[in-house]
Amino acid sequence: MKLSIATFALLSTITVTASAEGYYWGAAIGQSYSNLCPLDGGPYSCANTGDAFGVSGGYSFTPNISVEVDYQILGTIAAYQYANSGSDGAATSNTRVTALEAAAIGNLLEVTKGLVVIGKLGIADIMINQPWSSSSNPSIAGTNTATNVNIIYGLGIQYDFAKSVAGRVLWENLGSVGNADTGESRMSMISGGLVFKY
């Protein structure tokens, strides 16, 4: 599959970041929120959350401004067909969402020593893969895909436990994702993790 121009640019940024001095890296877990459900309505119901995981690498130009690249697994969002008993039956669609992001991270306000309010602004290449099958005839199946390049932004807090380790909690708005085939929805994420500085 050919990479989009945006993906190529983001991968180039990763290379630059990894070779720079004064870098940092991090990992986070969280929850994504959306309504990516082409099967919504009628006999179907959809989950609107997904378990998220991300890794990041960055470079700090000053104590207050950094450039960061993140790879986010935004979770698997399931669509279910109601069973005759009224409970949900087997999943008939599992929407998997990933994102590659490049963003600036800035310290907006120092609350107290070591605790700051941070902001995030950047661009994300968001990829959606949605295998599906017919509940009445499983041999009828396919895969819906979508790619969105969005401006993203976020707000959070970061606390320095030590000179080289910080904790971070972040809310992100990932914009509108999907298309007519996968379903369209706004997507956001709340995550918490650790940042390791060098």
Side-chain angles (χ1 to χ4, degrees):
M1 182 178 67
K2 294 182 178 179
L3 294 175
S4 67
I5 295 174
T7 303
F8 179 78
L10 292 175
L11 290 173
S12 299
T13 306
I14 291 176
T15 303
V16 173
T17 301
S19 63
E21 295 181 1
Y23 65 91
Y24 64 88
W25 68 276
I29 59 173
Q31 193 96 78
S32 64
Y33 300 87
S34 68
N35 189 30
L36 283 171
C37 189
L39 306 176
D40 205 4
Y44 297 100
S45 67
C46 286
N48 59 5
T49 61
D51 294 328
F53 171 77
V55 292
S56 61
Y59 178 72
S60 297
F61 292 100
T62 74
N64 295 321
I65 300 176
S66 304
V67 172
E68 184 174 296
V69 174
D70 306 282
Y71 177 71
Q72 309 274 14
I73 298 173
L74 298 171
T76 299
I77 303 160
Y80 300 91
Q81 183 178 27
Y82 291 128
N84 292 333
S85 63
S87 61
D88 287 341
T92 55
S93 173
N94 288 288
T95 302
R96 291 188 286 271
V97 186
T98 58
L100 189 58
E101 305 174 0
I105 306 291
N107 293 353
L108 304 179
L109 175 67
E110 185 176 16
V111 178
T112 186
K113 185 177 180 180
L115 178 64
V116 295
V117 176
I118 60 173
K120 179 176 183 177
L121 179 63
I123 186 171
D125 195 350
I126 302 169
M127 293 146 282
I128 297 172
N129 187 279
Q130 188 181 73
W132 60 269
S133 62
S134 170
S135 58
S136 59
N137 186 353
S139 65
I140 301 175
T143 302
N144 299 328
T145 60
T147 300
N148 305 98
V149 179
N150 293 345
I151 300 295
I152 61 169
Y153 58 89
L155 190 65
I157 57 173
Q158 183 166 304
Y159 180 73
D160 291 332
F161 296 109
K163 185 177 180 180
S164 59
V165 182
R168 180 188 289 181
V169 176
L170 186 67
W171 168 83
E172 292 183 60
N173 186 326
L174 301 169
S176 182
V177 300
N179 58 24
D181 293 328
T182 63
E184 296 178 278
S185 172
R186 297 199 64 82
M187 185 168 235
S188 62
M189 179 176 65
I190 295 177
S191 63
L194 294 175
V195 177
F196 301 90
K197 310 172 189 178
Y198 294 91

